[in-house]
Amino acid sequence: MNRHTPLTLTLAALVSISPLVMAKDEVSSDGVKVDKMSPLRNLVPEEQLEAAASEQYVGIKQQANQHKALAADDHPEVQRLRAIARKLIPHAVRWNDRASKWQWEVNLIGSKEINAFCMPGGKIAFFSGILSNLKLTDDEVAIVMGHEIAHALREHGRERVAKSGLASAGAKIAGIGLSALLGVDPNLATAATGGIANLTMLKFSRDDETEADLVGLDIVARAGYDPRAGIALWQKMGMISKNAPPQWFSTHPAGKSRIAEMQKHMPSVVPLYAKAKGVQPTSLPPYESNVKGIAPIR
């Protein structure tokens, strides 16, 4: 789309285009099943959104680096995050062909915020607060990362941008919203021009969140991480959110219903985990978290 092309092109004209690489509605006979994706996402070209995401991600890193908040490549937690990502990413392509062409990147930002995101195009960031405050195990890190990756694979950001009418060609992104997260001067954190949504702050629908949970569990299990850790993760989140809900809650609604939905789909993903481990599902030990008050999960 050139800078003069109106975003209000008819949906019919846009969905008639069949890209060579795209997200998939039908993936395989095993694992989780998901609904077809909204055709509204086709109102925003994926190339445009991924380019905007890449530009915004660079801005986030630059601002974090200026405030000495960007963890170095040799930081132990950065290495842990990237090692987990390396196991998850090979299972992303089965959900979206474009993922094979993404320039995946994983970084850690020093902040007390309990937050993480994956932008369109595979740009991942964790805030140190989500690791330290929740004392995440590797399996639980994988759950968070798998969930965020699933949003990108299922093009939820693209859909939300289209629905919000916030897309415009040539937008310049400078990391809107980072003032609250990193203590950055709001004048520096505000985008200079443009009208594309801040891709780190999009609020997804409840259906999007459920789908990201399920697709994330599928990816995690195939990579050899215990999907039952998702239940423990949200139990932890419930423990710390009684008084002041963390940032992650503002875009990721939680509750008993969310845990119940995960439990309902465990029969679809635990066998994938067992297969990755080379054992029978019945021989798997219970998942044990590292926080008192969370019972072993079978």
Side-chain angles (χ1 to χ4, degrees):
M1 178 182 291
N2 65 48
R3 64 187 303 270
H4 300 294
T5 304
L7 188 62
T8 54
L9 286 172
T10 64
L11 181 60
L14 286 166
V15 298
S16 66
I17 301 172
S18 298
L20 295 177
V21 289
M22 59 187 297
K24 306 171 186 177
D25 288 319
E26 299 295 333
V27 176
S28 66
S29 58
D30 62 354
V32 301
K33 306 299 186 293
V34 294
D35 293 332
K36 290 184 177 181
M37 292 186 294
S38 170
L40 284 176
R41 73 190 196 282
N42 292 297
L43 288 169
V44 180
E46 56 267 77
E47 294 89 350
Q48 177 188 334
L49 194 64
E50 289 169 13
S54 180
E55 185 175 356
Q56 184 177 353
Y57 192 74
V58 169
I60 289 171
K61 290 195 301 177
Q62 288 175 343
Q63 291 193 43
N65 192 48
Q66 289 171 6
H67 290 79
K68 303 186 186 308
L70 184 65
D73 291 339
D74 60 356
H75 190 289
E77 289 287 23
V78 173
Q79 294 182 347
R80 178 164 80 120
L81 290 172
R82 291 176 180 174
I84 292 170
R86 282 194 293 271
K87 292 182 180 180
L88 299 184
I89 289 170
H91 301 281
V93 177
R94 65 195 309 279
W95 287 97
N96 191 326
D97 289 334
R98 291 186 64 82
S100 65
K101 300 180 181 300
W102 288 351
Q103 299 299 309
W104 291 87
E105 192 170 345
V106 184
N107 283 287
L108 176 65
I109 297 173
S111 169
K112 294 181 180 179
E113 295 292 335
I114 297 176
N115 211 350
F117 61 81
C118 177
M119 290 181 168
K123 305 302 185 185
I124 300 169
F126 271 62
F127 294 84
S128 58
I130 199 169
L131 300 177
S132 59
N133 291 334
L134 294 177
K135 298 180 175 61
L136 296 184
T137 66
D138 284 359
D139 291 293
E140 291 160 4
V141 169
I143 292 292
V144 174
M145 191 178 295
H147 174 96
E148 296 301 333
I149 287 174
H151 276 308
L153 296 175
R154 300 299 291 168
E155 300 183 352
H156 293 156
R158 188 179 171 202
E159 177 185 347
R160 300 309 293 177
V161 168
K163 286 182 177 179
S164 300
L166 293 174
S168 67
K172 301 298 182 181
I173 307 301
I176 304 170
L178 283 193
S179 57
L181 294 175
L182 301 174
V184 181
D185 182 339
N187 292 326
L188 298 177
T190 302
T193 61
I196 202 161
N198 174 14
L199 300 173
T200 70
M201 297 295 178
L202 288 177
K203 291 187 178 182
F204 299 114
S205 70
R206 189 167 296 277
D207 287 344
D208 287 346
E209 291 296 339
T210 298
E211 184 175 87
D213 279 345
L214 301 184
V215 172
L217 290 177
D218 187 284
I219 292 170
V220 162
R222 293 178 192 275
Y225 291 103
D226 196 330
R228 297 171 296 181
I231 297 170
L233 169 67
W234 287 102
Q235 289 176 337
K236 283 185 178 182
M237 292 291 280
M239 289 178 176
I240 68 168
S241 65
K242 293 179 180 178
N243 297 322
Q247 176 69 26
W248 215 51
F249 267 20
S250 69
T251 53
H252 300 73
K256 293 181 179 179
S257 60
R258 187 166 200 157
I259 292 175
E261 190 70 22
M262 286 187 173
Q263 290 172 326
K264 185 172 72 175
H265 286 84
M266 284 299 148
S268 297
V269 293
V270 168
L272 301 177
Y273 170 57
K275 183 178 180 180
K277 290 295 187 182
V279 300
Q280 293 297 316
T282 53
S283 67
L284 288 170
Y287 176 76
E288 297 191 25
S289 191
N290 55 357
V291 171
K292 291 182 179 180
I294 297 180
I297 301 168
R298 299 184 180 277

